[in-house]
Structures are given as structure tokens and as C-alpha cells.
């Protein structure tokens, strides 16, 4: 059995769906920028792990930046 579902293009989405995707994208980008700036401003002794590791992990959608704020910073 083949999957006959056609992939949706941008024009297939409603105005509300497009707006929601844009808002979520802006939030995700904001989290990435905030995490990268925070990583850059902290000393190595204030970080659980290495800066390089956390910089790379921060690029994983949603999970990376949220993980940084939850687990990457020493209290």
C-alpha cells in the first residue's frame, strides 16, 4: 500500500496556521540566540560540560536551548 498523501506546501496552510508557524519559529530562534549569548557570557567554571558541546546542542530544535537553561548552567 502506498502513501497517497501529498506533502503540504506553504500555500496549502490557512492564514492562522501560517501565523502560528511564524510565531513558533520566532520563539525557537529567540531561544537559540538567548542560549548562545548566555553560553558565551559564562566562564567555563559556571558550565556543566564544555562550551563547545552546549553550543552545538543548542542548535537542536527546542530541546537544545531548553536543556541548556535547565541543565547546562551551574547554580
Amino acid at each position: 500500500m502506498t502513501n497517497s498523501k501529498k506533502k503540504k506546501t506553504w500555500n496549502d496552510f490557512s492564514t492562522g496556521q501560517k501565523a502560528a508557524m511564524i510565531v513558533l519559529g520566532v520563539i525557537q530562534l529567540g531561544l537559540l540566540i538567548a542560549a548562545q549569548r548566555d553560553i558565551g557570557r559564562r566562564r567555563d567554571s559556571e558550565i556543566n560540560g564544555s562550551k563547545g558541546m552546549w553550543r552545538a546542542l543548542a542548535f537542536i530544535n527546542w530541546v537544545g536551548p531548553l536543556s541548556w537553561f535547565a541543565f547546562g548552567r551551574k547554580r
Side-chain angles (χ1 to χ4, degrees):
M1 190 172 229
T2 60
N3 188 359
S4 61
K5 281 190 170 185
K6 179 186 150 207
K7 273 193 168 180
K8 284 190 174 187
T9 63
W10 184 253
N11 291 329
D12 294 332
F13 292 106
S14 69
T15 303
Q17 289 172 321
K18 289 177 184 177
M21 283 191 275
I22 291 170
V23 168
L24 290 172
V26 168
I27 292 169
Q28 184 174 331
L29 185 60
L31 278 170
L32 170 64
I33 291 169
Q36 292 290 349
R37 289 185 72 179
D38 194 43
I39 293 167
R41 290 180 177 171
R42 290 187 182 272
R43 295 186 309 262
D44 290 343
S45 62
E46 297 176 308
I47 296 175
N48 291 319
S50 70
K51 279 189 178 188
M53 177 195 70
W54 281 109
R55 284 197 181 276
L57 288 175
F59 282 98
I60 298 173
N61 294 346
W62 299 99
V63 175
L66 293 175
S67 294
W68 161 252
F69 290 115
F71 308 112
R73 305 176 300 166
K74 288 184 180 175
R75 303 281 184 247

